[in-house]
Amino acid sequence: MSDTVHPVIVAIDGPSGTGKSSTSRAVAAELGLSYLDTGAQYRAITWWMITNGIDVADAAAVADAAAKPAIVSGTDPAHPTITVDGVDASGPIRTQEVTSKVSAVSAVPEVRTRITGLQRSIAAAAPNGIVVEGRDIGTTVLPDADLKIFLTASPEARAARRAGELKGADVSATREALIKRDAADSTRTTSPLAKAADAVEVDTTELTLQQVIECVVTLVAEKRAAAK
């Protein structure tokens, strides 16, 4: 029996505030896998649209510009990077303006086609495998992923976590924003936020981050053992 470890592709989906990013990065680091934050790519293209004066409420204008920006994602979980046209965008993509407009840009089919193609090529090129986090990875981007996980948590828990990340943000306002974002992402026509039929659902409401990480690492180990 060979000891060769086959590359493993792990898809982690779920709404904001469920611990997707922290979990995905930690799991990738622990298992020696690459890591891809697909949400950052949608934020990056949104930031480019705003910076270049594209009206993000005009779907046709967004569609026309979708192929223009050069978006490059670094996949080291210890130091994930993202550049747009050679410029480090990791800070600018986290602004409130980008957050408020990313759902509209993400809903444009041409944008999703462009970014999905990027995501698939990055996953295919990962030497040891990759953890890819997002909202439509298990359903649309990588439907043949070796392991699909869907993280959930109560709106209250998610709002508290997100408000904590945003330092001093109002929890109730954050909760309303999260629910609004969920609705937009879950009802869009192209690749809505949805749990894949073969995904393992993990409710993180009552779990610490470390418990969630351990749960996912165990699931990956089980999947690898079954594949031998």
Side-chain angles (χ1 to χ4, degrees):
M1 190 177 288
S2 170
D3 285 337
T4 305
V5 174
H6 295 288
V8 62
I9 293 180
V10 181
I12 300 185
D13 290 306
S16 300
T18 53
K20 275 202 317 283
S21 296
S22 304
T23 299
S24 300
R25 282 183 66 175
V27 168
E30 189 166 328
L31 297 176
L33 305 176
S34 299
Y35 160 74
L36 179 61
D37 174 2
T38 64
Q41 295 176 309
Y42 285 106
R43 286 174 170 274
I45 200 166
T46 301
W47 174 68
W48 184 90
M49 297 279 175
I50 295 167
T51 306
N52 285 275
I54 308 293
D55 178 1
V56 299
D58 183 345
V62 171
D64 286 344
K68 292 181 180 175
I71 298 169
V72 178
S73 298
T75 58
D76 177 357
H79 185 61
T81 57
I82 187 153
T83 63
V84 182
D85 294 340
V87 177
D88 176 9
S90 53
I93 65 171
R94 301 293 170 185
T95 62
Q96 186 54 45
E97 184 179 20
V98 171
T99 299
S100 67
K101 294 178 176 176
V102 68
S103 282
V105 173
S106 300
V108 176
E110 288 81 358
V111 169
R112 298 206 78 81
T113 299
R114 165 86 201 283
I115 301 295
T116 296
L118 274 178
Q119 292 162 1
R120 286 176 176 157
S121 61
I122 290 167
N128 299 320
I130 191 168
V131 179
V132 184
E133 61 139 312
R135 285 169 164 73
D136 66 338
I137 310 308
T139 51
T140 302
V141 180
L142 300 168
D144 297 325
D146 300 294
L147 177 63
K148 301 175 189 177
I149 292 167
F150 194 84
L151 298 183
T152 62
S154 71
E156 291 72 22
R158 292 165 51 209
R161 289 170 189 166
R162 187 44 55 94
E165 290 167 11
L166 299 174
K167 301 291 182 285
D170 179 86
V171 175
S172 60
T174 303
R175 180 176 178 274
E176 292 307 311
L178 285 175
I179 290 171
K180 189 175 173 186
R181 173 88 194 267
D182 288 350
D185 290 345
S186 301
T187 56
R188 63 172 177 243
T189 310
T190 308
S191 300
L193 164 67
K195 178 187 165 189
D198 55 347
V200 178
E201 185 168 325
V202 179
D203 187 335
T204 69
T205 304
E206 303 291 338
L207 301 178
T208 65
L209 175 59
Q210 193 54 44
Q211 287 172 320
V212 180
I213 293 164
E214 287 168 7
C215 173
V216 175
V217 167
T218 300
L219 288 167
V220 175
E222 288 170 355
K223 184 60 72 172
R224 280 180 155 164
K228 280 188 177 175

